[in-house]
């Protein structure tokens, strides 16, 4: 096993970023699996923030991997991620803790707190309001995260998305914020769940 953070494979896992190394001789402490390797491509197999594995391609020539070839390897990695996820998701004991990430998003002059849990197609969870926050939906809503990524966010003026008193927090502002978030998330359409 290659330790996380060492070699090209370990660096990919440590940074969460695919690695395309044109000349491995330039990598300090390179871990060679083959003495003839001159370049290496590592593409992570992932579902959201969870790394399930990686595809490691070595070559005996420098800089052989074109952007088109890298894109094809990424397609294979994405397909493998789906297969691995479907296989493991049928056995809940394989995933005792769903991956969770948090972030803040700058939206129309305010900062919105975001929390994601689970793996799979995104479902945006809307809390009631105004002035409420997503925490009152927990842990109940998290139980439906199997097979999907729940995307919670505290709407403007609620929870961890505070705003000054003179900032409007009506339904029109909430809808406009959600449309900006949809664009930031790169989603053409939204699947929504909510409770109030």
């Amino acid at each position: 096993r290659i330790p996380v953070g060492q070699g090209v494979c370990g660096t990919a896992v440590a940074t969460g970023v695919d690695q395309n190394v044109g000349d491995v001789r330039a990598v300090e402490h390179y871990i060679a699996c083959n003495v003839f390797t001159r370049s290496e491509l590592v593409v992570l197999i992932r579902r959201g923030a969870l790394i399930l594995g990686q595809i490691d391609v070595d070559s005996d020539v420098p800089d052989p991997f074109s952007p088109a070839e890298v894109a094809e390897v990424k397609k294979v990695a994405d397909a493998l991620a789906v297969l691995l996820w479907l296989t493991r998701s049928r056995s809940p004991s394989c995933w005792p803790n769903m991956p969770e990430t948090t972030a803040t998003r700058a939206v129309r002059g305010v900062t919105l707190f975001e929390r994601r849990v689970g793996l799979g197609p995104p479902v945006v969870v809307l809390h009631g309001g105004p002035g409420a926050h997503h925490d009152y939906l927990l842990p109940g809503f998290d139980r439906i995260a199997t097979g999907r990524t729940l995307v919670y966010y505290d709407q403007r003026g609620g929870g961890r998305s505070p705003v000054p008193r003179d900032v409007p927090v009506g339904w029109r502002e909430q809808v406009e914020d959600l449309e900006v978030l949809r664009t930031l998330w790169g989603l053409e359409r939204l699947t929504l769940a909510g409770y109030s």
Side-chain angles (χ1 to χ4, degrees):
R1 298 184 76 150
I2 297 172
V4 172
Q6 295 186 19
V8 179
C9 292
T11 299
V13 172
T15 62
V17 177
D18 297 338
Q19 302 291 306
N20 186 355
V21 179
D23 186 353
V24 297
R25 295 177 302 179
V27 176
E28 188 175 342
H29 306 298
Y30 177 70
I31 300 171
C33 297
N34 182 322
V35 295
F36 299 109
T37 298
R38 286 289 308 280
S39 54
E40 187 170 356
L41 172 66
V42 176
V43 175
L44 296 170
I45 301 168
R46 62 186 330 149
R47 294 290 286 173
L50 182 65
I51 297 172
L52 302 170
Q54 57 186 215
I55 298 173
D56 182 15
V57 184
D58 294 354
S59 176
D60 59 356
V61 297
D63 293 311
F65 307 111
S66 70
E69 291 168 323
V70 172
E72 291 300 314
V73 175
K74 286 185 179 191
K75 287 180 187 177
V76 173
D78 290 344
L80 286 171
V82 171
L83 291 173
L84 287 169
W85 174 251
L86 288 174
T87 301
R88 291 181 172 187
S89 66
R90 285 180 169 74
S91 175
S93 62
C94 290
W95 303 106
N97 297 308
M98 296 295 260
E100 177 181 334
T101 60
T102 60
T104 56
R105 304 277 183 180
V107 174
R108 301 176 57 246
V110 300
T111 301
L112 303 179
F113 174 81
E114 173 186 312
R115 176 180 175 265
R116 291 175 179 251
V117 64
L119 296 170
V123 175
V124 178
V125 180
L126 299 176
H127 62 74
H133 50 83
H134 81 276
D135 292 358
Y136 77 88
L137 301 171
L138 306 178
F141 266 56
D142 278 0
R143 293 188 182 120
I144 63 169
T146 302
R148 62 190 58 83
T149 298
L150 298 180
V151 182
Y152 300 91
Y153 72 97
D154 287 345
Q155 298 167 17
R156 63 168 56 209
R160 287 171 265 185
S161 301
V163 296
R165 294 177 73 67
D166 60 340
V167 172
V169 293
W171 69 268
R172 286 183 177 86
E173 288 78 24
Q174 308 292 3
V175 171
E176 290 172 9
D177 288 350
L178 184 55
E179 175 58 17
V180 172
L181 287 169
R182 181 194 65 77
T183 303
L184 287 172
W185 294 327
L187 300 174
E188 186 174 324
R189 298 181 63 170
L190 293 175
T191 300
L192 299 174
Y195 181 84
S196 180

